[in-house]
Amino acid sequence: MSAKLFRPLLIALILTTIYTIWAVVADATHSLMYHMSGGLFIAGFLLLAIGFFSNMSANGFFKGVTTGFKKQREAKLREVDGDYYEDEDEESELLEAKQKRASNRTVPYLSSGFICIVVSLLLSFI
């Protein structure tokens, strides 16, 4: 198994186990498979959320959101010191390579989350 897939699958296993144990103790009227299906669904949903937010961060979504705050801060600092300037952004080639590497790190989380949700749905029909 790839080392990239190990962390998301370990997270899914831990979350599923914790939820399943808690659900069995809290509600003994349903079967173990029912609770395991719920645990897999929650783990899959959380892994998808981690993957989506990591992907948005890798593609610069949050950088675009914070641009206005940075410009406002720069304007206030220029009032204090007229010679103040912000460092230039990274070169486009370096930025693209960095975004590609970061996007490649998010794929295991997205795929693991999707797999957990699909397995959860399959278990719910059993």
Side-chain angles (χ1 to χ4, degrees), residues 16 29 49 58 66 72 117 122:
T16 302
T29 60
T66 60
Q72 184 180 17
I117 289 175
L122 290 175

Side-chain angles (χ1 to χ4, degrees), residues 8-55:
L9 290 177
L10 182 65
I11 291 171
L13 179 68
I14 290 170
L15 289 173
T16 302
T17 304
I18 289 171
Y19 177 83
T20 304
I21 291 171
W22 173 78
V24 166
V25 170
D27 179 21
T29 60
H30 296 289
S31 69
L32 180 66
M33 294 298 266
Y34 176 84
H35 294 303
M36 189 178 297
S37 173
L40 279 170
F41 185 80
I42 290 173
F45 185 76
L46 290 175
L47 286 174
L48 279 176
I50 290 169
F52 281 133
F53 282 118
S54 298
N55 196 8

Side-chain angles (χ1 to χ4, degrees), residues 63-89:
K63 186 182 285 187
V65 169
T66 60
T67 300
F69 296 112
K70 289 179 183 178
K71 286 187 178 188
Q72 184 180 17
R73 184 189 71 214
E74 183 179 353
K76 285 186 178 186
L77 289 173
R78 278 197 183 152
E79 289 176 6
V80 174
D81 182 11
D83 295 332
Y84 179 80
Y85 67 94
E86 290 283 332
D87 292 336
E88 294 295 321
D89 290 333

